[in-house]
Amino acid sequence: VFLIAASLVLSTVATAGDSWSSPYPGVKYLRRTTSDPKIIHALFVDLCEPGISIQTTSSGERRQPVSSFARDVGAIAAINGDFFSYSDYSTSGLSVGNGAPWSDTADDSSSAVIAFGEGFATIYPDYNVMSTVPSDVTDAASGHPTLLYGGVPTTYVWEENHPRTAVGTSEDGFTLILVVVDGRSSSSEGATISYMASLMLDLGAFEAVNMDGGGSSTMWLSGVGDLNNPSDGGERT
């Protein structure tokens, strides 16, 4: 789970189905509807805004719905993170929370990592395997596949429409972009991986990674609750 614990200029071209709001200082929310149909939720986080910090789930905080973890730590916004095992809730790929790597996870060649430290967010592509966690990384989560790297979209073929969650960073590294696309309903069909790559590029990301999707996809905002409609009918643990 990604948490935002606290006005940026966006280059995105607006469409007729775009609705913008600024729920918190340093955070802008876009709700986009398309005729496909798709319902897209995006949070743009100014990492330079005073008071903004990013936190990922620690090993001992696993096995919770997104909203539960968010409320426990006093977050203003949260999304789901890594693909995971139902048997022990370990994650696929590296997870780091509160400065400590999870004991039962590790980076591998199929997982991309988004890592956070004091004032920065960095995406390591799937082919970059970290045998040790850099000392300045305090929080990290993993996903696959890499959607964008160096501004270039993925060539990964995963062309079924499903609910999706993605995370991206701007080219200057100052903006974190969190996205959830609803799916498996008559109002929103979901998205393919190639669509997600194009969407993240359109929203201003330079690098981006696909996180766990399907029934896991959740975007929560303090004072509102879930912004999207999780396809299981409620948040997944």
Side-chain angles (χ1 to χ4, degrees):
V1 175
F2 290 91
L3 301 168
I4 306 164
S7 299
L8 58 157
V9 177
L10 304 174
S11 59
T12 307
V13 176
T15 68
D18 283 3
S19 175
W20 289 91
S21 62
S22 300
Y24 291 95
V27 179
K28 289 189 179 294
Y29 168 54
L30 165 66
R31 186 181 190 276
R32 172 177 292 179
T33 58
T34 70
S35 59
D36 303 28
K38 287 180 175 59
I39 300 176
I40 298 162
H41 309 268
L43 291 173
F44 299 81
V45 184
D46 183 357
L47 296 176
C48 298
E49 177 74 20
I52 288 287
S53 63
I54 306 297
Q55 183 176 336
T56 56
T57 321
S58 68
S59 183
E61 294 167 322
R62 70 179 77 188
R63 201 168 185 171
Q64 296 184 73
V66 171
S67 60
S68 175
F69 179 41
R71 291 189 183 101
D72 282 352
V73 300
I76 62 171
I79 65 168
N80 68 293
D82 311 51
F83 292 85
F84 68 96
S85 164
Y86 276 113
S87 61
D88 59 7
Y89 289 80
S90 60
T91 59
S92 302
L94 178 68
S95 289
V96 179
N98 293 332
W102 289 28
S103 61
D104 51 358
T105 68
D107 193 16
D108 57 47
S109 60
S110 65
S111 298
V113 178
I114 181 161
F116 304 96
E118 185 66 36
F120 75 87
T122 301
I123 290 178
Y124 298 90
D126 42 22
Y127 56 79
N128 183 98
V129 179
M130 288 188 289
S131 56
T132 59
V133 179
S135 60
D136 58 349
V137 171
T138 59
D139 297 88
S142 298
H144 63 267
T146 304
L147 296 173
L148 299 171
Y149 197 70
V152 179
T154 184
T155 56
Y156 193 93
V157 178
W158 197 352
E159 296 305 281
E160 295 181 347
N161 283 309
H162 289 293
R164 303 284 183 191
T165 299
V167 182
T169 55
S170 58
E171 186 171 3
D172 60 14
F174 297 152
T175 304
L176 181 68
I177 304 168
L178 311 175
V179 175
V180 165
V181 180
D182 275 323
R184 300 176 182 168
S185 74
S186 58
S187 59
S188 187
E189 66 178 4
T192 66
I193 288 297
S194 61
Y195 182 94
M196 291 301 293
S198 297
L199 174 64
M200 296 304 289
L201 191 63
D202 176 64
L203 294 177
F206 190 67
E207 295 176 345
V209 58
N210 180 68
M211 309 306 288
D212 194 8
S216 294
S217 286
T218 305
M219 179 177 285
W220 179 92
L221 186 67
S222 178
V224 178
D226 291 338
L227 295 172
N228 71 311
N229 292 307
S231 64
D232 282 358
E235 290 182 43
R236 182 175 286 178
T237 299

